[in-house]
Amino acid sequence: MDTIHLLTGLVEIAVAIALWHHAAPALRRLGTWRAWMTWLLGLALALLGIGQIDAWLTGQTIPWLRQCGDIALVIYAAWRFVHIMRHVPPPHWSDAP
């Protein structure tokens, strides 16, 4: 059980960084609602990832319901990132205002 906390935490933080990297140019240029929502999804993932790594370091147990919730959030965020990258190019790649 300890290893799953570490792996979930690392994956959550990695997906959070990818979401932040994607949202940063839009936040600097336009500050759109979608960019803020993408950034907040990354924030939620990062905070939960830190909690998972903290549980791994201290040897705490996390209920399976919370663990499954974290895994579902990682799956949703990864799907959302792939969807964003397929359908909406980042603003710094286009000449649109």
Side-chain angles (χ1 to χ4, degrees):
M1 184 71 175
D2 289 340
T3 307
I4 195 166
H5 296 320
L6 177 64
L7 292 177
T8 304
L10 292 175
V11 169
E12 282 176 335
I13 291 173
V15 173
I17 290 170
L19 288 169
W20 286 338
H21 179 71
H22 174 74
L27 287 174
R28 281 189 300 237
R29 286 185 67 206
L30 305 171
T32 63
W33 182 250
R34 279 187 183 169
W36 279 111
M37 291 299 105
T38 302
W39 189 85
L40 286 173
L41 178 60
L43 179 66
L45 280 171
L47 292 175
L48 288 171
I50 291 169
Q52 289 284 348
I53 292 174
D54 178 55
W56 176 72
L57 287 172
T58 59
Q60 296 175 352
T61 58
I62 291 178
W64 274 105
L65 186 61
R66 179 180 164 207
Q67 186 68 36
C68 290
D70 281 352
I71 291 170
L73 186 60
V74 166
I75 291 169
Y76 170 74
W79 170 82
R80 184 74 188 133
F81 181 73
V82 169
H83 177 75
I84 288 169
M85 293 308 289
R86 280 188 178 172
H87 299 313
V88 180
H92 60 283
W93 288 353
S94 67
D95 297 325

